[in-house]
Amino acid sequence: MKILQKSELKAWKKAKKLGPKKTIQLLKKQGLTGRGGACFLTGLKWELVKNAKGNKFIICNADEGEPGTFKDKLLLEKNPENIIEGILIAAYCINTKQAYIYLRGEYNYLKDSLKKTIEETLTASRSSLKIDIIQGAGAYICGDETAIIASIENKRGYPHFKPPYPPQKGLFGKPTVINNVETLANVPLAIINKDWNDSLRLFSISGNVSKPRVYEIKVGTKLGKIALLAKAKNIKAVCFGASGGCIPYNSNSIINAEHICKEEAMLGACSLIFINKKKSMLDLAINIAQFFNHESCGKCTPCREGNTHILKLLEKIKSGKAKQEDIELLEKLSITIRDTALCGLGQSCTNHILTALNHFKKDFKVR
Amino acid sequence: MQKKESIALLNILREIQKRYNHLPEKEIKKLSKKTNIPLVKIYETASFYSMFSFKRKGRNTIRLCNSPSCYINGSLNILKEIKRILKIDINQTTKDKKYSLELTSCIGCCDKAPAIMLNNELIGNITKAKLRKLLK
């Protein structure tokens, strides 16, 4: 895998030589986009914060919680050096002395090795940056950038409405850069490798496959090729995590954001869960609805109350007592939550139902 | 007194939870005094996160992942077996206080589904046989 190449501070030295402005320019030219799912230009994000005056912060989002996603874990295990170097370069470019790594509670076993890498990298680079690890404690919502801020501020992990965006008003009210682990690991490589390519991504492949693992694949690869790699057989659907929704399996489907969008699903952080023909999409919908019911933070009404009713309706369909009007209500409620919820979790938590109703209506039987 | 911005409450709560298998009132009060964070604020924050509990848990916590990848790879069969061996239900603790059982959202082990978390350790490709050995 190209992403596992170690920069060994070569990029750091190059960035120091270039200066912040030219380093940011280089990243923009290379086209590095955020790996968290929003695909925002990383260089542009840094520039917004660089130009702000006063205190500012960097947060490395290592709260990888999307079901079916485990690529950041691989990077934290196999190439933490590049992640720290990415943070160093970001800190240098925006001119800050304080960075945070928000490590999800479930990855606590990585804390000590990460700490060691931080110390070694900071010593070797002779940087005065301070990098603190904040450990999450089991809240999916804290992967949201505004919730992560609240969590580091010692509050409940409630997201807030955007704008203001974190680069304008972030941690402790100061301009803040929040980057995903994979984005930061790519920073050094984009700086030192001329042939670095933004479309090469880490895909987390799991589900009904014999070779589940992280694959480094170009965005735009055909689904059939990915299924072949992971040895997936008798597949009927592919889910993009829990929040991205699902599409029916078609070996010719092109896996990029635009194509997936046409099917009303979301590629997000490139997590593909293959579902075989023995499984019912209704059972899966119940499983995912349980997840969102549990993980809804409770701040806004559509998501908090809506998800309870979504689960009830799905269970009613499962019990065989549902009528056509229940399906209609399920669809209406799903759309309402999507359109009125406050944060990304709420706006995407019913994608799986809307796409399943669209493509697999047969699995949702009514009287 | 430390500057408020330099206190990482979640990290401290985690240490307390680890030491006592829950967040005892006495410790929270002590923490409040030491950090000058009001007691109610600490409770407000702590009660949000699923890894903190105010009720005492077992010495070991088993968290079974029930997110899609584990679910379609048979996590519910594993759940049945854990319940059978330990004779407890979800969110309960064994009489000898050795184990507590919980369901958890995705723990990032989808490539080793089904998976569990035993305290801090992630254990993948869990089978009934592996489980029997583990919980002996």
Side-chain angles (χ1 to χ4, degrees):
Chain A
M1 280 190 198
K2 286 199 170 167
I3 188 80
L4 296 184
Q5 180 203 349
K6 311 233 170 181
S7 154
E8 288 164 341
L9 296 177
K10 279 200 252 5
W12 163 248
K13 284 168 196 155
K14 187 171 169 188
K16 291 272 270 190
K17 229 182 245 168
L18 287 173
K21 208 174 159 187
K22 279 189 179 162
T23 306
I24 289 177
Q25 256 172 19
L26 176 62
L27 283 177
K28 275 162 82 179
K29 202 180 127 218
Q30 289 282 47
L32 174 63
T33 53
R35 275 17 183 192
C39 297
F40 193 78
L41 261 184
T42 304
L44 190 58
K45 199 187 253 184
W46 291 10
E47 205 167 54
L48 290 171
V49 177
K50 177 186 174 282
N51 294 334
K53 285 191 181 102
N55 273 350
K56 31 200 154 176
F57 300 102
I58 289 174
I59 301 170
C60 165
N61 185 348
D63 194 56
E64 176 175 66
E66 185 61 38
T69 313
F70 44 100
K71 60 174 181 75
D72 291 347
K73 190 176 84 170
L74 176 98
L75 291 172
L76 289 160
E77 276 176 0
K78 300 270 168 72
N79 201 353
E81 294 88 350
N82 273 27
I83 302 168
I84 309 297
E85 193 176 337
I87 296 173
L88 266 177
I89 297 167
Y92 171 67
C93 287
I94 69 160
N95 188 22
T96 180
K97 294 272 170 260
Q98 178 70 54
Y100 294 92
I101 298 177
Y102 190 90
L103 184 69
R104 72 180 303 211
E106 291 78 356
Y107 293 175
N108 173 269
Y109 73 103
L110 292 166
K111 190 190 75 181
D112 291 338
S113 63
L114 197 58
K115 236 180 184 164
K116 202 173 146 226
T117 311
I118 292 173
E119 278 161 21
E120 286 169 359
T121 313
L122 289 182
T123 312
S125 65
R126 291 194 206 141
S127 163
S128 59
L129 180 68
K130 204 165 159 268
I131 306 179
D132 289 327
I133 300 175
I134 306 289
Q135 297 171 86
Y140 168 74
I141 184 63
C142 289
D144 176 279
E145 54 181 13
T146 59
I148 221 173
I149 288 172
S151 192
I152 298 178
E153 289 173 345
N154 297 338
K155 297 177 191 152
R156 292 167 79 84
Y158 283 150
H160 72 68
F161 186 78
K162 291 188 279 193
Y165 291 91
Q168 305 165 290
K169 199 176 168 212
L171 190 60
F172 305 118
K174 306 291 178 199
T176 304
V177 163
I178 305 178
N179 281 142
N180 172 263
V181 164
E182 190 188 345
T183 313
L184 287 164
N186 264 298
V187 164
L189 302 180
I191 289 176
I192 55 172
N193 296 322
K194 271 205 179 118
D195 61 347
W196 180 88
N197 189 335
D198 186 60
S199 63
L200 202 60
R201 299 287 169 98
L202 292 181
F203 279 71
S204 308
I205 310 290
S206 68
N208 293 126
V209 300
S210 345
K211 284 190 164 179
R213 65 190 62 161
V214 177
Y215 292 90
E216 194 172 48
I217 305 171
K218 267 196 181 157
V219 170
T221 304
K222 281 189 179 170
L223 188 55
K225 202 178 159 191
I226 300 176
L228 208 65
L229 277 172
K231 294 207 174 353
K233 272 182 196 152
N234 294 319
I235 299 302
K236 80 174 197 188
V238 174
C239 286
F240 299 95
S243 61
C246 63
I247 58 169
Y249 179 74
N250 177 346
S251 60
N252 283 320
S253 285
I254 296 162
I255 301 303
N256 64 15
E258 297 76 36
H259 183 82
I260 303 299
C261 232
K262 265 185 218 151
E263 311 247 12
E264 289 170 345
M266 284 189 330
L267 184 56
C270 299
S271 313
L272 274 60
I273 307 172
F274 285 79
I275 315 291
N276 73 18
K277 287 175 183 157
K278 283 185 202 157
K279 307 286 186 300
S280 145
M281 294 310 278
L282 173 62
D283 288 342
L284 193 70
I286 291 176
N287 177 271
I288 297 178
Q290 284 168 341
F291 167 77
F292 281 118
N293 206 26
H294 176 70
E295 295 294 351
S296 172
C297 76
K299 181 171 174 174
C300 77
T301 315
C303 178
R304 180 187 64 237
E305 303 302 324
N307 272 305
T308 320
H309 289 283
I310 291 272
L311 188 57
K312 274 188 195 158
L313 280 167
L314 288 169
E315 277 163 353
K316 190 175 176 188
I317 298 169
K318 176 79 183 169
S319 73
K321 286 178 193 151
K323 294 178 187 149
Q324 183 55 34
E325 60 195 47
D326 289 309
I327 296 270
E328 280 156 24
L329 182 61
L330 178 67
E331 191 164 4
K332 219 169 151 184
L333 183 55
S334 296
I335 293 170
T336 307
I337 297 173
R338 183 193 67 193
D339 293 348
T340 58
L342 185 143
C343 78
L345 185 158
Q347 289 156 13
S348 62
C349 68
T350 53
N351 274 343
H352 74 104
I353 294 168
L354 290 168
T355 48
L357 283 176
N358 189 10
H359 298 298
F360 302 98
K361 200 135 210 181
K362 268 195 215 151
D363 288 8
F364 295 73
K365 281 192 194 101
V366 286
R367 279 208 290 193
Chain B
M1 200 188 94
Q2 274 176 286
K3 230 178 96 187
K4 263 191 192 155
E5 285 186 14
S6 66
I7 300 166
L9 188 59
L10 293 190
N11 290 357
I12 302 171
L13 290 175
R14 199 183 173 97
E15 286 306 311
I16 299 175
Q17 172 82 36
K18 199 176 152 192
R19 195 178 321 145
Y20 299 95
N21 298 319
H22 71 305
L23 302 175
E25 202 181 319
K26 212 175 121 194
E27 291 300 315
I28 299 295
K29 279 184 176 161
K30 245 200 259 169
L31 178 65
S32 168
K33 238 181 201 164
K34 204 175 133 195
T35 57
N36 221 16
I37 302 175
L39 196 61
V40 63
K41 273 248 164 205
I42 300 181
Y43 273 101
E44 186 190 356
T45 296
S47 57
F48 184 80
Y49 300 89
S50 66
M51 286 188 173
F52 300 137
S53 63
F54 299 109
K55 255 171 74 187
R56 188 171 192 160
K57 286 207 277 192
R59 293 189 294 283
N60 303 288
T61 302
I62 304 169
R63 292 188 173 87
L64 173 74
C65 177
N66 193 36
S67 278
S69 303
C70 283
Y71 169 70
I72 62 173
N73 279 296
S75 60
L76 293 184
N77 292 331
I78 299 298
L79 177 64
K80 249 189 229 163
E81 186 66 5
I82 301 177
K83 282 184 182 174
R84 191 190 68 78
I85 297 174
L86 298 180
K87 299 187 180 65
I88 50 170
D89 213 329
I90 300 162
N91 295 330
Q92 289 182 348
T93 301
T94 53
K95 269 190 190 152
D96 60 2
K97 299 265 180 258
K98 196 171 173 191
Y99 292 108
S100 291
L101 173 63
E102 290 172 13
L103 283 185
T104 174
S105 301
C106 184
I107 53 176
C109 289
C110 325
D111 51 342
K112 301 180 191 78
I116 63 164
M117 235 180 115
L118 179 58
N119 302 324
N120 248 346
E121 196 187 347
L122 302 179
I123 308 171
N125 296 321
I126 199 96
T127 58
K128 285 185 183 178
K130 220 167 159 179
L131 204 61
R132 282 193 287 268
K133 225 171 153 184
L134 202 70
L135 300 181
K136 226 181 4 196

